[in-house]
Amino acid sequence: VHDIGKAFTPTEQLPSHKGHENRGINAIKEICKRLKIPNKIRDFALLSSMHHMKFHLIQDMRVGKLYDLVSNLQIGHTNYVVDFIKVCRADFESTTMENKGHLLRQFEDSAQLLLKVSDILQNIKASDMPNFNMLPKDERFSQCFREYKIRVLKDQLSIKE
């Protein structure tokens, strides 16, 4: 259902489907409601629709954007990165294009980077932060933790910004 928004593309915009990733959100919600799809699956379908167009940009993303993408693919205690890659692979395989072999290599590299970011993030604990015991656990703490995780990602991925 990640491409269902294409059905709602205004005719004057065709054959382009720019913005379809968000245009299908209400349809996905309605389908899931009507079919009584479990909320976890509905939420993953919504995330897949909203984020699948970002997949081809992964190699050029800054660390903060990679962090945000992987974090968005975490619902509760469930990590949907592998499932998201499967959706993106199906999307990739369904398209016809020239030099698909070269693009397949890029796809695989992006998938590996996303998996690596996910693995790194799963192993970071708030208690690993410098001066964790002295940090106030207030509304700013989550921002400090986010910044810490992005620094760790930069170091482990050896990315300079």
Side-chain angles (χ1 to χ4, degrees):
V1 294
H2 70 281
D3 275 341
I4 199 164
K6 288 182 176 182
F8 303 102
T9 300
T11 53
E12 62 274 4
Q13 192 178 334
L14 293 172
S16 172
H17 295 283
K18 187 172 183 166
H20 77 280
E21 59 274 16
N22 294 317
R23 210 175 283 120
I25 297 301
N26 289 334
I28 293 171
K29 289 177 182 176
E30 187 57 39
I31 290 167
C32 291
K33 182 178 177 184
R34 185 175 292 167
L35 298 176
K36 297 181 177 159
I37 301 294
N39 290 344
K40 265 175 102 167
I41 295 171
R42 179 207 58 211
D43 293 346
F44 175 67
L46 292 168
L47 287 173
S48 294
S49 179
M50 290 186 288
H51 298 295
H52 77 281
M53 294 300 292
K54 296 175 185 170
F55 191 84
H56 71 281
L57 304 172
I58 287 173
Q59 293 296 320
D60 297 321
M61 283 184 181
R62 300 181 86 158
V63 176
K65 291 289 184 187
L66 280 169
Y67 167 81
D68 291 339
L69 178 58
V70 171
S71 295
N72 283 326
L73 296 171
Q74 178 90 25
I75 303 172
H77 295 292
T78 306
N79 184 325
Y80 286 102
V81 170
V82 171
D83 295 318
F84 177 72
I85 291 169
K86 289 177 186 177
V87 168
C88 294
R89 181 176 300 284
D91 196 48
F92 175 80
E93 294 294 340
S94 70
T95 59
T96 56
M97 59 185 89
E98 294 178 25
N99 58 317
K100 199 168 183 175
H102 169 69
L103 294 173
L104 178 60
R105 183 74 225 138
Q106 284 181 320
F107 179 93
E108 296 299 339
D109 290 346
S110 294
Q112 289 305 314
L113 179 56
L114 211 55
L115 289 169
K116 187 172 184 178
V117 168
S118 178
D119 287 344
I120 292 168
L121 290 176
Q122 286 181 357
N123 292 311
I124 299 174
K125 297 183 230 64
S127 59
D128 295 336
M129 293 172 65
N131 304 316
F132 170 75
N133 293 331
M134 298 167 66
L135 290 171
K137 308 307 184 278
D138 56 13
E139 62 277 347
R140 214 176 102 53
F141 181 80
S142 62
Q143 179 63 30
C144 291
F145 190 35
R146 178 185 187 277
E147 291 167 5
Y148 172 72
K149 289 189 265 188
I150 290 171
R151 278 195 312 275
V152 171
L153 279 175
K154 281 181 188 177
D155 291 345
Q156 292 196 20
L157 296 173
S158 301
I159 295 176
K160 294 178 183 170
E161 289 192 19

